[in-house]
């Protein structure tokens, strides 16, 4: 009995594809696993394998055809002893212009129609070849009880032939007047696959669903919006830390009796706060139809907590001593991890710092947190060879920084001035106390 070869769903999200190239021709004998064609999806070109043995009796869709719907017959496979005369006229390809309003209308009628595509117990589509479906129907087998050995778990002829015949599980009756369940709507452009499509994609893998709490939903929504709507550009600088590290060591010895220990991050906060005063045009936020130029240096600092992050704001950071900034940052970070911050303590600011240096990250690009106009991504300090001012090669502790900038508020030259000011402050730490 001739068997239709259907346009395969090469991924759970695939709705249609381009039949880029046939790798066989009419009359060729193929075995299970042989390559039949190359199929182009919106993401890649993939090879399509035969799942049964037979002879290619007729090619229904020419190579190069675009927009071929999944499950549309693209060729007819003959079994031993069959010939092209066994292929009915109804197996001819559908006119290219024919619309596909529903999956049922999309597939043209065949001389010997195959059973309708089976559904898994959870309602998702169950992949099986037309021949496997017919054999299963003849033997009274429930396809839900059979594991597929074909590509992507597809049930093939050998699977049903080796299965033990058993009465098919009775399906719940559906009233004739009941409307058919609507097909899963494709994901909106640019939003990625739907939840159902992702679940189908990982249906054969072990996983645990983690529900999103309010924080994770907010982070996802805000950062998606930021990356889509804020025109980011990036500026990078390497900063030498040896002078800062030496100065920090001296200060910490002096402050030890008071129980104060300054971190490199405290110096970074101070350096950024002063830079916003030194380059005041960069101390601004985007307000949709206007820019707000701020006077104080209110600096937000990203703090990782379980399940997300907070960005507490240190207000008037340029006016506070290093020890005051250190104490305030420790307090804000501690209460952030306990989720005890009040909204006014993590809202506002014009600039943010994200430091992953303590995790050994060399460099990265941070996403701007609207309405901020910039965020500084800070990497780890590491010993590197550098050329000194005298032209001599030396070893220095170098920290990589990347400034992500909102081009609506800060242009390239202004952003460069801001990053240069931050670098100058960190490489000349004593000047920050003047």
């Amino acid at each position: 009995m001739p068997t239709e070869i259907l346009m395969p769903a090469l991924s759970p999200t695939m709705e249609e594809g381009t039949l880029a190239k046939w790798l066989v021709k009419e009359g060729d004998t193929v075995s299970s696993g042989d390559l039949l064609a190359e199929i182009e999806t919106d993401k890649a070109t993939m090879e399509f394998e035969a799942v049964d043995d037979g002879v290619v009796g007729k090619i229904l869709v020419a190579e190069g055809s675009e927009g071929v719907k999944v499950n549309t017959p693209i060729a007819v496979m003959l079994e031993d002893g069959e010939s092209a005369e066994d292929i009915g006229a109804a197996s001819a390809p559908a006119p290219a212009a024919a619309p596909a309003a529903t999956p049922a209308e999309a597939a043209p009628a065949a001389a010997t129609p195959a059973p309708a595509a089976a559904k898994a117990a959870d309602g998702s589509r169950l992949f099986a070849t037309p021949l496997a479906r017919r054999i299963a129907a003849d033997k009274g087998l429930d396809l839900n009880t059979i594991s597929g050995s074909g590509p992507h778990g597809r049930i093939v002829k050998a699977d049903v032939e080796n299965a033990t015949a058993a009465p098919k599980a009775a399906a719940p009756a559906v009233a004739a007047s009941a409307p058919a369940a609507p097909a899963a709507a494709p994901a909106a452009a640019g939003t990625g696959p739907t939840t159902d499509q992702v679940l189908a994609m990982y249906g054969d893998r072990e996983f645990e669903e983690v529900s999103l709490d309010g924080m994770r939903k907010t982070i996802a929504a805000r950062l998606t919006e930021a990356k889509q709507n804020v025109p980011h550009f990036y500026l990078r600088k390497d900063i030498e830390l040896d002078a800062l590290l030496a100065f920090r060591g001296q200060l910490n010895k002096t402050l030890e009796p008071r129980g104060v220990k300054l971190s490199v991050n405290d110096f970074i906060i101070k350096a950024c706060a002063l830079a916003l005063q030194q380059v005041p045009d960069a101390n601004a936020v985007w307000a949709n139809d206007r820019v707000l130029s701020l006077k104080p240096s209110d600096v937000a600092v990203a703090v990782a907590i379980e399940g997300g992050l907070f960005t507490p704001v240190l207000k008037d950071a340029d006016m506070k001593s290093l020890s005051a900034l250190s104490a305030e940052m420790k307090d804000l970070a501690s209460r952030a991890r306990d989720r005890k911050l009040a909204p006014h303590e993590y809202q506002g600011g014009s600039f943010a710092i994200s430091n992953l240096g303590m995790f050994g990250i060399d460099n990265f690009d941070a996403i701007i947190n609207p309405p901020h106009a910039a965020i500084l991504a800070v990497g780890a300090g590491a010993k590197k060879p550098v050329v000194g001012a005298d032209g001599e090669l030396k070893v220095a502790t170098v920290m990589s920084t990347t400034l992500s900038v909102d081009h609506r508020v800060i242009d390239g030259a202004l952003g460069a001035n801001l990053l240069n000011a931050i670098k100058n402050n960190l490489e000349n730490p004593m000047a920050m106390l003047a």
Side-chain angles (χ1 to χ4, degrees):
M1 182 181 301
T3 303
E4 294 174 342
I5 299 174
L6 306 181
M7 182 66 167
L10 298 178
S11 73
T13 59
M14 180 176 168
E15 302 288 339
E16 61 181 33
T18 297
L19 206 160
K21 182 179 180 181
W22 279 107
L23 303 177
V24 295
K25 60 183 182 295
E26 293 181 359
D28 284 354
T29 300
V30 297
S31 301
S32 177
D34 288 349
L35 298 180
L36 296 180
E38 292 180 357
I39 308 293
E40 289 183 7
T41 69
D42 57 341
K43 297 180 176 65
T45 299
M46 304 177 69
E47 294 173 330
F48 174 39
E49 299 177 353
V51 292
D52 288 310
D53 300 342
V55 175
V56 180
K58 188 171 186 180
I59 290 177
L60 303 178
V61 176
E63 62 181 37
S65 299
E66 299 179 355
V68 182
K69 300 292 184 181
V70 168
N71 284 337
T72 297
I74 58 175
V76 177
M77 185 80 76
L78 302 175
E79 294 184 347
D80 290 341
E82 295 179 336
S83 65
E85 285 75 19
D86 296 315
I87 302 173
S91 292
T102 67
E105 296 168 353
T112 307
K119 295 287 183 180
D122 61 0
S124 61
R125 186 166 52 155
L126 193 153
F127 294 99
T129 66
L131 179 58
R133 294 193 190 106
R134 280 195 287 268
I135 296 174
D138 292 341
K139 296 178 67 174
L141 294 174
D142 184 356
L143 289 175
N144 281 295
T145 65
I146 301 174
S147 297
S149 62
H152 307 289
R154 187 183 295 267
I155 298 171
V156 298
K157 174 183 176 183
D159 297 325
V160 291
E161 285 183 336
N162 295 331
T164 302
K168 190 171 181 179
V174 180
S177 59
T191 61
T194 65
T195 300
D196 288 344
Q197 289 170 335
V198 174
L199 289 173
M201 190 182 302
Y202 297 96
D204 62 342
R205 311 305 299 159
E206 183 178 356
F207 62 84
E208 176 185 354
E209 291 191 24
V210 179
S211 299
L212 301 182
D213 60 14
M215 172 176 287
R216 180 51 56 185
K217 288 179 181 178
T218 299
I219 291 172
R222 284 181 59 83
L223 294 187
T224 298
E225 179 183 1
K227 195 62 175 174
Q228 289 177 339
N229 297 333
V230 176
H232 289 63
F233 72 94
Y234 306 93
L235 303 171
R236 311 181 198 281
K237 276 281 187 184
D238 284 341
I239 298 174
E240 294 185 22
L241 293 180
D242 295 284
L244 185 151
L245 294 175
F247 184 53
R248 169 178 171 260
Q250 295 173 1
L251 281 179
N252 280 339
K253 283 185 179 180
T254 304
L255 296 171
E256 189 174 358
R258 294 164 48 187
V260 176
K261 186 175 182 179
L262 302 176
S263 68
V264 172
N265 208 49
D266 297 329
F267 284 87
I268 294 172
I269 295 168
K270 183 71 172 181
C272 292
L274 290 173
L276 291 172
Q277 295 297 311
Q278 295 158 353
V279 189
D281 288 345
N283 189 20
V285 297
W286 179 254
N288 295 309
D289 61 349
R290 67 200 69 186
V291 170
L292 305 184
S293 182
L294 301 179
K295 300 300 182 184
S297 289
D298 297 342
V299 178
V301 180
V303 175
I305 68 170
E306 185 176 355
L309 58 85
F310 270 107
T311 52
V313 179
L314 296 100
K315 296 181 178 178
D316 300 303
D318 60 304
M319 301 176 63
K320 295 174 180 175
S321 67
L322 283 165
S323 59
L325 286 173
S326 180
E328 185 177 354
M329 189 65 236
K330 286 181 174 67
D331 172 63
L332 289 170
S334 176
R335 290 191 290 117
R337 294 185 183 100
D338 293 335
R339 304 199 180 195
K340 300 293 186 183
L341 290 180
H344 72 272
E345 293 178 304
Y346 59 81
Q347 293 177 349
S350 63
F351 185 92
I353 298 168
S354 180
N355 189 346
L356 294 180
M358 64 282 293
F359 298 103
I361 299 302
D362 293 329
N363 57 72
F364 66 103
D365 298 342
I367 299 176
I368 295 169
N369 184 24
H372 295 172
I375 182 170
L376 184 72
V378 180
K383 295 286 188 182
K384 295 182 180 180
V386 298
V387 178
D390 57 1
E392 294 294 324
L393 188 67
K394 63 177 183 178
V395 175
T397 304
V398 178
M399 177 179 72
S400 175
T401 61
T402 301
L403 186 67
S404 302
V405 186
D406 184 344
H407 215 321
R408 298 172 300 181
V409 182
I410 300 175
D411 292 326
L414 183 59
N417 289 339
L418 178 62
L419 186 53
N420 284 331
I422 294 171
K423 173 182 171 71
N424 185 64
N425 290 336
L426 288 171
E427 292 185 345
N428 299 279
M430 291 184 67
M432 290 196 286
L433 302 184

